[in-house]
Amino acid sequence: MNDTTGLGDDVQLITLDVNGTSYEVITAPRRTLVDVLRHDLRLTGTHVGCEHGICGACTVLVDGLPVRACLMFAAQAEGARITTVESLADSGTGELSDLQQAFTAHHGLQCGFCTPGFLMLAQGFLAERPEATKEDIREVVAANLCRCTGYQTIVEAIDACATARRSQRAVGTEEDSCN
């Protein structure tokens, strides 16, 4: 359980499924998912940017779909599968996922602040649209803000990953590699 200091009398116990682990959290009903993820569960890969749903730095997957965690109450996520950027790398070895490797190989990150949001947006998008074209990807990434890269390298990284995943499916291999 977590510290309830400063939450007041109006608190509730919720259970969140985050990255395949179940967590019980005592929280005020109006606390956002991003705050619970970062402050209660210590999953700080999800960043807080604008807190208005505009920048996309807080993007996580909820039941496989990209969601702005700053616009969602934690209580709304109860019963859903929440996936954060921490889930992408192999927890045992620390090896980066194919998508993370593609971002590295294609220089799809600079300062890195927006990167977790772009990774989760791309992860959800490619799961839903594995046949996405560069134009489709360009349209989707416009939903998140990046002040450093100019987006082209992000588009190239996601496209390279999508292309590699399609090729691997075509030959029936399981190993992911988007480099």
Side-chain angles (χ1 to χ4, degrees):
M1 302 255 199
N2 55 320
D3 180 17
T4 59
T5 307
L7 289 178
D9 295 331
D10 189 21
V11 295
Q12 61 189 34
L13 174 66
I14 61 173
T15 303
L16 297 176
D17 175 357
V18 183
N19 301 331
T21 301
S22 181
Y23 297 93
E24 286 188 339
V25 179
I26 297 173
T27 189
R30 295 184 50 84
R31 282 196 65 220
T32 62
L33 179 58
V34 73
D35 285 338
V36 169
L37 291 171
R38 289 183 59 80
H39 301 292
D40 296 327
L41 304 184
R42 303 286 185 226
L43 296 170
T44 57
T46 303
H47 292 166
V48 180
C50 67
E51 296 188 71
H52 296 284
I54 296 167
C55 73
C58 66
T59 302
V60 298
L61 301 182
V62 176
D63 288 335
L65 299 175
V67 169
R68 308 285 203 215
C70 74
L71 295 180
M72 182 176 210
F73 295 126
Q76 290 175 293
E78 189 168 29
R81 280 181 357 267
I82 303 161
T83 310
T84 69
V85 71
E86 286 88 354
S87 72
L88 295 181
D90 184 289
S91 61
T93 65
E95 183 179 345
L96 298 179
S97 72
D98 61 338
L99 184 58
Q100 290 170 306
Q101 289 176 25
F103 266 67
T104 301
H106 293 272
H107 308 288
L109 52 118
Q110 285 184 16
C111 82
F113 187 81
C114 66
T115 304
F118 275 106
L119 287 167
M120 297 314 294
L121 178 68
Q123 185 76 2
F125 177 68
L126 292 180
E128 185 180 322
R129 300 266 315 274
E131 302 299 322
T133 65
K134 265 191 175 179
E135 290 307 313
D136 297 332
I137 294 166
R138 193 170 283 111
E139 185 176 323
V140 165
V141 300
N144 283 22
L145 297 179
C146 176
R147 300 179 83 166
C148 300
T149 66
Y151 297 89
Q152 187 57 35
T153 56
I154 294 170
V155 171
E156 289 170 5
I158 297 169
D159 182 56
C161 188
T163 301
R165 287 180 181 180
R166 286 191 297 266
S167 295
Q168 288 156 3
R169 271 195 315 277
V171 297
T173 62
E174 292 296 316
E175 185 178 322
D176 289 333
S177 177
C178 300
N179 296 325

